[in-house]
Amino acid sequence: MSSLYYIMEANAMKGFLTYFILWDLSKKNMNGAEITKALEKRKGTKPSPGTIYPALKELRKKGFIEADDNKVYSLTKKGKEELSSACKIFCQIFYDMKEMANCCGSGGCCK
């Protein structure tokens, strides 16, 4: 594997953690364990509580999410607006994702 692969792998979760938490909460309200499972499905490895809970704390501080008495998190209006903005940026950056996936598929440029 290339060194670029390892750099991208190490930074992937950090770079997109906030986006993925907001995205997952836009689908349904979740507690910390459910958020961890959703991220594990996406990444293939379980993120540590030391990764998830500081991110949740920061999102609450910014007013993007709120938690009820059972620590079930949900998006606020501000969080929905932030996610909408982030989705636009994500799509601009990865507009050619399908092409990239095809490239790394059967016999593409990555082989």
Side-chain angles (χ1 to χ4, degrees):
M1 299 268 173
S2 74
S3 59
L4 178 59
Y5 171 82
Y6 291 109
I7 292 168
M8 291 171 63
E9 181 71 14
N11 291 313
M13 200 57 155
K14 291 178 188 174
F16 293 107
L17 181 62
T18 297
Y19 176 78
F20 288 138
I21 290 172
L22 294 176
W23 178 263
D24 288 337
L25 289 176
S26 75
K27 304 300 176 199
K28 73 175 212 166
N29 298 343
M30 295 186 239
N31 63 32
E34 291 170 315
I35 293 168
T36 298
K37 285 180 186 175
L39 292 168
E40 182 178 8
K41 266 195 220 178
R42 184 179 305 280
K43 178 78 170 71
T45 57
K46 183 178 179 179
S48 73
T51 300
I52 300 300
Y53 289 99
L56 291 171
K57 182 178 179 180
E58 184 67 22
L59 289 169
R60 285 181 74 182
K61 183 178 172 184
K62 290 181 176 180
F64 297 152
I65 64 173
E66 58 191 8
D68 65 16
D69 293 337
N70 295 317
K71 301 230 179 195
V72 174
Y73 297 91
S74 60
L75 284 181
T76 62
K77 182 179 179 193
K78 186 176 178 182
K80 290 175 186 176
E81 291 168 358
E82 180 68 15
L83 177 60
S84 177
S85 177
C87 282
K88 290 174 188 166
I89 293 167
F90 185 88
C91 289
Q92 286 174 343
I93 293 170
F94 295 105
Y95 69 91
D96 57 351
M97 181 59 79
K98 188 173 183 179
E99 180 183 343
M100 288 179 187
N102 289 338
C103 172
C104 293
S106 59
C109 62
C110 298
K111 296 290 178 179

